Amino acid sequence: PPGCGKTTILRDIIRHISYGIGCVPLKVAIVDERSEIASSHVGIPQNDIGIRTDVLDMGLKSEGMIMLVRSMSPQVVAVDEIGSMEDVMAIKQIINCGCHILASIHGYGIADCMNRRELAGMFGANGFKRIVVLSDKNGAGTIEEMRAVKNYAGNICKDNPRLFNILQVSFLKEKADFLKKDIPFPTKEKKIKF
C-alpha cells in the first residue's frame, strides 16, 4: 500500500547497486518523475543514491527512460510506480537495449500484476525476472513473497549474475543480497526491523 516506504527502499537498493554493496558496482540511471527518489534541488540529489547514479528529475518516466539509455549508458534503469502502457513500452525498449530494470508497482499481489493488460509479457525471459511482494500486514516491512519468475517452459529464468530485472510490488525492506543470482528467496513471511 502507499505510504509504507516503498520509495525509500527503492532508493536504498539503488544506492547499494551504485556503490557495489553486496553486488558488483553498476551504473544506475533514475527517472525521478516526482523528485521522490533523489529529492534533487537545483539539479543536485539531496539523498544518497550512490556515486554511479545519474538522475533525470521531474520528467515523464516513459520518455525519461529512453533519454537516459541513449545519453547516459546505464546498466540499470530505476523507476518508481510504473503502470501506464507508455511506461511498459519504454521498459521493453530498455530491456531490448541490454539495460536492466528496477521498478515498483502498486498491486494486490503477483497474480494481479501478471494479469494486468498493460503488463502482459513483462514477466519471465523478456521482462522481470524477480518479484518481491510487500505489505504492511504485520507492520511496515512485511515481505509477503519473493520469487524468481519462470519462463514459458516452466524454468527459472537465467540471467547475467551481475545484472537483473526486479519488479517491486508494494513495499520492500531487505538487504541487497537477494539481488545476487545464487541467493535463494525466503519461502516464509519475514518482518524486517528498521
mmCIF file of all heavy atoms in Angstrom, residues 22-57:
data_model
loop_
_atom_site.group_PDB
_atom_site.id
_atom_site.type_symbol
_atom_site.label_atom_id
_atom_site.label_comp_id
_atom_site.label_asym_id
_atom_site.label_seq_id
_atom_site.Cartn_x
_atom_site.Cartn_y
_atom_site.Cartn_z
ATOM 1 N N GLY A 22 27.221 -5.564 -1.727
ATOM 2 C CA GLY A 22 26.556 -6.848 -1.914
ATOM 3 C C GLY A 22 26.463 -7.295 -3.359
ATOM 4 O O GLY A 22 25.848 -8.310 -3.646
ATOM 5 N N CYS A 23 27.025 -6.530 -4.271
ATOM 6 C CA CYS A 23 26.998 -6.892 -5.688
ATOM 7 C C CYS A 23 28.118 -6.135 -6.401
ATOM 8 O O CYS A 23 28.793 -5.305 -5.802
ATOM 9 C CB CYS A 23 25.638 -6.563 -6.317
ATOM 10 S SG CYS A 23 25.212 -4.803 -6.291
ATOM 11 N N VAL A 24 28.303 -6.419 -7.666
ATOM 12 C CA VAL A 24 29.274 -5.681 -8.473
ATOM 13 C C VAL A 24 28.722 -4.271 -8.681
ATOM 14 O O VAL A 24 27.545 -4.110 -8.985
ATOM 15 C CB VAL A 24 29.470 -6.389 -9.839
ATOM 16 C CG1 VAL A 24 30.373 -5.571 -10.746
ATOM 17 C CG2 VAL A 24 30.018 -7.789 -9.639
ATOM 18 N N PRO A 25 29.541 -3.221 -8.517
ATOM 19 C CA PRO A 25 29.027 -1.865 -8.734
ATOM 20 C C PRO A 25 28.565 -1.662 -10.172
ATOM 21 O O PRO A 25 29.235 -2.098 -11.101
ATOM 22 C CB PRO A 25 30.213 -0.952 -8.424
ATOM 23 C CG PRO A 25 31.349 -1.810 -8.051
ATOM 24 C CD PRO A 25 30.945 -3.234 -8.157
ATOM 25 N N LEU A 26 27.415 -1.025 -10.322
ATOM 26 C CA LEU A 26 26.849 -0.794 -11.643
ATOM 27 C C LEU A 26 26.455 0.669 -11.814
ATOM 28 O O LEU A 26 26.163 1.358 -10.841
ATOM 29 C CB LEU A 26 25.604 -1.673 -11.841
ATOM 30 C CG LEU A 26 25.798 -3.176 -11.725
ATOM 31 C CD1 LEU A 26 24.457 -3.874 -11.752
ATOM 32 C CD2 LEU A 26 26.684 -3.681 -12.843
ATOM 33 N N LYS A 27 26.419 1.120 -13.078
ATOM 34 C CA LYS A 27 25.937 2.466 -13.384
ATOM 35 C C LYS A 27 24.413 2.425 -13.394
ATOM 36 O O LYS A 27 23.809 1.614 -14.093
ATOM 37 C CB LYS A 27 26.452 2.936 -14.733
ATOM 38 C CG LYS A 27 27.953 3.148 -14.767
ATOM 39 C CD LYS A 27 28.404 3.807 -16.048
ATOM 40 C CE LYS A 27 28.151 2.919 -17.236
ATOM 41 N NZ LYS A 27 28.623 3.480 -18.500
ATOM 42 N N VAL A 28 23.808 3.316 -12.621
ATOM 43 C CA VAL A 28 22.355 3.360 -12.475
ATOM 44 C C VAL A 28 21.843 4.696 -12.997
ATOM 45 O O VAL A 28 22.486 5.733 -12.817
ATOM 46 C CB VAL A 28 21.939 3.193 -10.993
ATOM 47 C CG1 VAL A 28 20.426 3.216 -10.842
ATOM 48 C CG2 VAL A 28 22.519 1.920 -10.403
ATOM 49 N N ALA A 29 20.690 4.680 -13.635
ATOM 50 C CA ALA A 29 20.009 5.901 -14.062
ATOM 51 C C ALA A 29 18.610 5.886 -13.460
ATOM 52 O O ALA A 29 17.905 4.888 -13.551
ATOM 53 C CB ALA A 29 19.934 5.979 -15.576
ATOM 54 N N ILE A 30 18.240 6.978 -12.834
ATOM 55 C CA ILE A 30 16.920 7.103 -12.201
ATOM 56 C C ILE A 30 16.088 8.105 -12.982
ATOM 57 O O ILE A 30 16.547 9.206 -13.271
ATOM 58 C CB ILE A 30 17.032 7.616 -10.752
ATOM 59 C CG1 ILE A 30 17.879 6.685 -9.895
ATOM 60 C CG2 ILE A 30 15.653 7.814 -10.140
ATOM 61 C CD1 ILE A 30 18.198 7.259 -8.519
ATOM 62 N N VAL A 31 14.857 7.729 -13.291
ATOM 63 C CA VAL A 31 13.880 8.684 -13.790
ATOM 64 C C VAL A 31 13.014 9.028 -12.579
ATOM 65 O O VAL A 31 12.230 8.215 -12.112
ATOM 66 C CB VAL A 31 13.018 8.117 -14.932
ATOM 67 C CG1 VAL A 31 12.031 9.173 -15.410
ATOM 68 C CG2 VAL A 31 13.893 7.644 -16.074
ATOM 69 N N ASP A 32 13.230 10.218 -12.041
ATOM 70 C CA ASP A 32 12.593 10.640 -10.791
ATOM 71 C C ASP A 32 11.459 11.609 -11.114
ATOM 72 O O ASP A 32 11.583 12.824 -10.956
ATOM 73 C CB ASP A 32 13.646 11.286 -9.896
ATOM 74 C CG ASP A 32 13.281 11.236 -8.427
ATOM 75 O OD1 ASP A 32 12.207 10.725 -8.087
ATOM 76 O OD2 ASP A 32 14.107 11.712 -7.619
ATOM 77 N N GLU A 33 10.367 11.043 -11.568
ATOM 78 C CA GLU A 33 9.247 11.825 -12.100
ATOM 79 C C GLU A 33 8.716 12.883 -11.129
ATOM 80 O O GLU A 33 8.398 13.999 -11.524
ATOM 81 C CB GLU A 33 8.119 10.870 -12.491
ATOM 82 C CG GLU A 33 7.018 11.508 -13.277
ATOM 83 C CD GLU A 33 6.008 10.485 -13.770
ATOM 84 O OE1 GLU A 33 5.635 9.582 -12.999
ATOM 85 O OE2 GLU A 33 5.599 10.600 -14.933
ATOM 86 N N ARG A 34 8.612 12.548 -9.860
ATOM 87 C CA ARG A 34 8.073 13.476 -8.854
ATOM 88 C C ARG A 34 9.139 13.911 -7.846
ATOM 89 O O ARG A 34 8.810 14.397 -6.774
ATOM 90 C CB ARG A 34 6.895 12.840 -8.147
ATOM 91 C CG ARG A 34 5.700 12.630 -9.066
ATOM 92 C CD ARG A 34 4.515 12.000 -8.350
ATOM 93 N NE ARG A 34 4.844 10.772 -7.657
ATOM 94 C CZ ARG A 34 4.857 9.559 -8.201
ATOM 95 N NH1 ARG A 34 4.566 9.424 -9.474
ATOM 96 N NH2 ARG A 34 5.152 8.502 -7.501
ATOM 97 N N SER A 35 10.409 13.684 -8.192
ATOM 98 C CA SER A 35 11.535 14.050 -7.330
ATOM 99 C C SER A 35 11.426 13.422 -5.943
ATOM 100 O O SER A 35 11.762 14.034 -4.937
ATOM 101 C CB SER A 35 11.643 15.577 -7.213
ATOM 102 O OG SER A 35 12.923 15.927 -6.759
ATOM 103 N N GLU A 36 10.972 12.169 -5.904
ATOM 104 C CA GLU A 36 10.828 11.464 -4.628
ATOM 105 C C GLU A 36 12.024 10.578 -4.305
ATOM 106 O O GLU A 36 12.320 10.347 -3.141
ATOM 107 C CB GLU A 36 9.569 10.587 -4.639
ATOM 108 C CG GLU A 36 8.291 11.358 -4.673
ATOM 109 C CD GLU A 36 7.089 10.447 -4.707
ATOM 110 O OE1 GLU A 36 7.078 9.487 -5.505
ATOM 111 O OE2 GLU A 36 6.158 10.709 -3.926
ATOM 112 N N ILE A 37 12.704 10.062 -5.314
ATOM 113 C CA ILE A 37 13.793 9.124 -5.066
ATOM 114 C C ILE A 37 15.058 9.882 -4.659
ATOM 115 O O ILE A 37 15.609 9.645 -3.586
ATOM 116 C CB ILE A 37 14.064 8.242 -6.308
ATOM 117 C CG1 ILE A 37 12.813 7.442 -6.678
ATOM 118 C CG2 ILE A 37 15.236 7.292 -6.025
ATOM 119 C CD1 ILE A 37 12.913 6.711 -8.005
ATOM 120 N N ALA A 38 15.526 10.775 -5.493
ATOM 121 C CA ALA A 38 16.770 11.505 -5.222
ATOM 122 C C ALA A 38 16.521 12.820 -4.484
ATOM 123 O O ALA A 38 17.428 13.368 -3.876
ATOM 124 C CB ALA A 38 17.519 11.779 -6.517
ATOM 125 N N SER A 39 15.307 13.330 -4.550
ATOM 126 C CA SER A 39 14.955 14.621 -3.930
ATOM 127 C C SER A 39 15.918 15.723 -4.367
ATOM 128 O O SER A 39 16.498 16.432 -3.548
ATOM 129 C CB SER A 39 14.922 14.507 -2.406
ATOM 130 O OG SER A 39 13.950 13.581 -2.002
ATOM 131 N N SER A 40 16.074 15.843 -5.669
ATOM 132 C CA SER A 40 17.021 16.823 -6.207
ATOM 133 C C SER A 40 16.571 18.251 -5.964
ATOM 134 O O SER A 40 15.383 18.577 -6.016
ATOM 135 C CB SER A 40 17.207 16.605 -7.713
ATOM 136 O OG SER A 40 17.811 15.368 -7.951
ATOM 137 N N HIS A 41 17.556 19.116 -5.695
ATOM 138 C CA HIS A 41 17.337 20.549 -5.540
ATOM 139 C C HIS A 41 18.389 21.246 -6.385
ATOM 140 O O HIS A 41 19.582 21.021 -6.198
ATOM 141 C CB HIS A 41 17.454 20.970 -4.069
ATOM 142 C CG HIS A 41 17.361 22.447 -3.865
ATOM 143 N ND1 HIS A 41 16.194 23.150 -4.060
ATOM 144 C CD2 HIS A 41 18.299 23.354 -3.503
ATOM 145 C CE1 HIS A 41 16.417 24.424 -3.816
ATOM 146 N NE2 HIS A 41 17.684 24.573 -3.480
ATOM 147 N N VAL A 42 17.958 22.046 -7.336
ATOM 148 C CA VAL A 42 18.844 22.736 -8.266
ATOM 149 C C VAL A 42 19.771 21.727 -8.949
ATOM 150 O O VAL A 42 20.965 21.955 -9.126
ATOM 151 C CB VAL A 42 19.655 23.857 -7.558
ATOM 152 C CG1 VAL A 42 20.312 24.760 -8.585
ATOM 153 C CG2 VAL A 42 18.797 24.667 -6.633
ATOM 154 N N GLY A 43 19.203 20.561 -9.295
ATOM 155 C CA GLY A 43 19.943 19.550 -10.028
ATOM 156 C C GLY A 43 20.868 18.669 -9.196
ATOM 157 O O GLY A 43 21.568 17.823 -9.731
ATOM 158 N N ILE A 44 20.878 18.858 -7.885
ATOM 159 C CA ILE A 44 21.763 18.076 -7.013
ATOM 160 C C ILE A 44 20.919 17.173 -6.116
ATOM 161 O O ILE A 44 20.086 17.660 -5.342
ATOM 162 C CB ILE A 44 22.640 19.000 -6.141
ATOM 163 C CG1 ILE A 44 23.492 19.903 -7.032
ATOM 164 C CG2 ILE A 44 23.526 18.183 -5.194
ATOM 165 C CD1 ILE A 44 24.195 21.014 -6.301
ATOM 166 N N PRO A 45 21.147 15.839 -6.188
ATOM 167 C CA PRO A 45 20.396 14.923 -5.323
ATOM 168 C C PRO A 45 20.670 15.216 -3.853
ATOM 169 O O PRO A 45 21.823 15.349 -3.439
ATOM 170 C CB PRO A 45 20.917 13.542 -5.707
ATOM 171 C CG PRO A 45 21.505 13.710 -7.069
ATOM 172 C CD PRO A 45 22.030 15.126 -7.104
ATOM 173 N N GLN A 46 19.619 15.323 -3.073
ATOM 174 C CA GLN A 46 19.754 15.571 -1.638
ATOM 175 C C GLN A 46 19.837 14.259 -0.854
ATOM 176 O O GLN A 46 20.271 14.249 0.292
ATOM 177 C CB GLN A 46 18.580 16.413 -1.135
ATOM 178 C CG GLN A 46 18.456 17.753 -1.841
ATOM 179 C CD GLN A 46 19.705 18.614 -1.694
ATOM 180 O OE1 GLN A 46 20.090 18.962 -0.591
ATOM 181 N NE2 GLN A 46 20.348 18.945 -2.814
ATOM 182 N N ASN A 47 19.413 13.170 -1.465
ATOM 183 C CA ASN A 47 19.512 11.850 -0.843
ATOM 184 C C ASN A 47 20.712 11.108 -1.416
ATOM 185 O O ASN A 47 21.084 11.313 -2.579
ATOM 186 C CB ASN A 47 18.241 11.029 -1.095
ATOM 187 C CG ASN A 47 17.047 11.599 -0.374
ATOM 188 O OD1 ASN A 47 17.147 12.075 0.748
ATOM 189 N ND2 ASN A 47 15.893 11.568 -1.022
ATOM 190 N N ASP A 48 21.302 10.231 -0.619
ATOM 191 C CA ASP A 48 22.439 9.434 -1.078
ATOM 192 C C ASP A 48 21.929 8.340 -2.003
ATOM 193 O O ASP A 48 21.265 7.400 -1.558
ATOM 194 C CB ASP A 48 23.174 8.828 0.120
ATOM 195 C CG ASP A 48 24.431 8.078 -0.282
ATOM 196 O OD1 ASP A 48 24.778 8.073 -1.490
ATOM 197 O OD2 ASP A 48 25.060 7.486 0.607
ATOM 198 N N ILE A 49 22.234 8.461 -3.285
ATOM 199 C CA ILE A 49 21.797 7.473 -4.266
ATOM 200 C C ILE A 49 22.979 6.754 -4.910
ATOM 201 O O ILE A 49 22.806 6.011 -5.865
ATOM 202 C CB ILE A 49 20.909 8.123 -5.351
ATOM 203 C CG1 ILE A 49 21.614 9.347 -5.938
ATOM 204 C CG2 ILE A 49 19.543 8.475 -4.785
ATOM 205 C CD1 ILE A 49 20.965 9.918 -7.152
ATOM 206 N N GLY A 50 24.173 6.982 -4.376
ATOM 207 C CA GLY A 50 25.347 6.296 -4.885
ATOM 208 C C GLY A 50 26.155 7.154 -5.832
ATOM 209 O O GLY A 50 25.656 8.115 -6.419
ATOM 210 N N ILE A 51 27.421 6.752 -6.003
ATOM 211 C CA ILE A 51 28.341 7.549 -6.805
ATOM 212 C C ILE A 51 28.262 7.265 -8.301
ATOM 213 O O ILE A 51 28.799 8.012 -9.099
ATOM 214 C CB ILE A 51 29.794 7.352 -6.316
ATOM 215 C CG1 ILE A 51 30.199 5.878 -6.394
ATOM 216 C CG2 ILE A 51 29.969 7.899 -4.924
ATOM 217 C CD1 ILE A 51 31.652 5.612 -6.070
ATOM 218 N N ARG A 52 27.608 6.192 -8.681
ATOM 219 C CA ARG A 52 27.484 5.827 -10.105
ATOM 220 C C ARG A 52 26.039 6.007 -10.581
ATOM 221 O O ARG A 52 25.574 5.248 -11.409
ATOM 222 C CB ARG A 52 27.927 4.386 -10.314
ATOM 223 C CG ARG A 52 29.391 4.144 -10.053
ATOM 224 C CD ARG A 52 29.730 2.655 -10.076
ATOM 225 N NE ARG A 52 31.081 2.451 -9.621
ATOM 226 C CZ ARG A 52 31.438 2.344 -8.341
ATOM 227 N NH1 ARG A 52 30.529 2.413 -7.388
ATOM 228 N NH2 ARG A 52 32.702 2.165 -8.007
ATOM 229 N N THR A 53 25.338 6.991 -10.044
ATOM 230 C CA THR A 53 23.926 7.171 -10.352
ATOM 231 C C THR A 53 23.668 8.524 -10.995
ATOM 232 O O THR A 53 24.081 9.555 -10.479
ATOM 233 C CB THR A 53 23.076 7.047 -9.071
ATOM 234 O OG1 THR A 53 23.348 5.793 -8.452
ATOM 235 C CG2 THR A 53 21.595 7.130 -9.390
ATOM 236 N N ASP A 54 22.983 8.493 -12.152
ATOM 237 C CA ASP A 54 22.523 9.703 -12.827
ATOM 238 C C ASP A 54 21.023 9.846 -12.595
ATOM 239 O O ASP A 54 20.311 8.841 -12.495
ATOM 240 C CB ASP A 54 22.791 9.612 -14.330
ATOM 241 C CG ASP A 54 24.271 9.608 -14.650
ATOM 242 O OD1 ASP A 54 24.967 10.535 -14.198
ATOM 243 O OD2 ASP A 54 24.721 8.675 -15.343
ATOM 244 N N VAL A 55 20.550 11.086 -12.522
ATOM 245 C CA VAL A 55 19.138 11.341 -12.240
ATOM 246 C C VAL A 55 18.546 12.259 -13.296
ATOM 247 O O VAL A 55 19.127 13.298 -13.624
ATOM 248 C CB VAL A 55 18.950 12.004 -10.853
ATOM 249 C CG1 VAL A 55 17.480 12.271 -10.577
ATOM 250 C CG2 VAL A 55 19.561 11.157 -9.754
ATOM 251 N N LEU A 56 17.397 11.864 -13.817
ATOM 252 C CA LEU A 56 16.582 12.747 -14.646
ATOM 253 C C LEU A 56 15.389 13.107 -13.773
ATOM 254 O O LEU A 56 14.545 12.264 -13.471
ATOM 255 C CB LEU A 56 16.131 12.056 -15.934
ATOM 256 C CG LEU A 56 15.255 12.899 -16.853
ATOM 257 C CD1 LEU A 56 16.012 14.145 -17.310
ATOM 258 C CD2 LEU A 56 14.796 12.098 -18.037
ATOM 259 N N ASP A 57 15.358 14.351 -13.356
ATOM 260 C CA ASP A 57 14.388 14.814 -12.370
ATOM 261 C C ASP A 57 13.206 15.506 -13.036
ATOM 262 O O ASP A 57 13.381 16.267 -13.983
ATOM 263 C CB ASP A 57 15.104 15.783 -11.426
ATOM 264 C CG ASP A 57 14.301 16.129 -10.197
ATOM 265 O OD1 ASP A 57 13.732 15.212 -9.588
ATOM 266 O OD2 ASP A 57 14.245 17.328 -9.848
#
